[in-house]
Amino acid sequence: MSTVLLPSGSSVSVKVHPVVLFAICDAYTRRKEHQDRVIGTLLGVVVDNTIEVKNCYVVPHNESSDQVMVDVVHHKTMFELHQKVAPHEVIVGW
């Protein structure tokens, strides 16, 4: 699994593709009735100091008043599948 780390204190620009915003809104409107949040993975590329968010997927989770547990197996499976169609994209955020 690839993750991008940028030096702290560096100036960063972020570009978010419209399909990512629509996917996030869709996931939020489809969340379970008593669920307050949606958790997901942001995928994209980093060129120089610009992060370009190109895709995303929801990561199922359960939460209580004091903790949030994400489905790490689902996250890893989705990332592996995504790598087959877009191997140049890495995890750029949550």
Side-chain angles (χ1 to χ4, degrees), residues 67-91:
Q67 67 180 1
V68 177
M69 298 178 352
V70 297
D71 187 342
V72 178
V73 174
H74 178 83
H75 162 69
K76 288 181 180 180
T77 301
M78 289 296 290
F79 182 70
E80 289 168 3
L81 290 171
H82 188 80
Q83 286 289 282
K84 291 180 181 183
V85 295
H88 61 284
E89 291 183 15
V90 297
I91 297 170

Side-chain angles (χ1 to χ4, degrees), residues 24-39:
I24 292 169
C25 290
D26 182 58
Y28 185 77
T29 58
R30 294 174 185 260
R31 74 192 187 285
K32 294 179 184 174
E33 191 172 317
H34 299 290
Q35 197 173 27
D36 292 332
R37 72 182 99 207
V38 175
I39 296 176

Side-chain angles (χ1 to χ4, degrees), residues 47-78:
V47 178
D48 297 324
N49 282 353
T50 300
I51 300 170
E52 188 172 358
V53 183
K54 295 183 169 192
N55 213 328
C56 66
Y57 56 85
V58 175
V59 178
H61 70 285
N62 292 314
E63 56 186 287
S64 63
S65 60
D66 60 343
Q67 67 180 1
V68 177
M69 298 178 352
V70 297
D71 187 342
V72 178
V73 174
H74 178 83
H75 162 69
K76 288 181 180 180
T77 301
M78 289 296 290

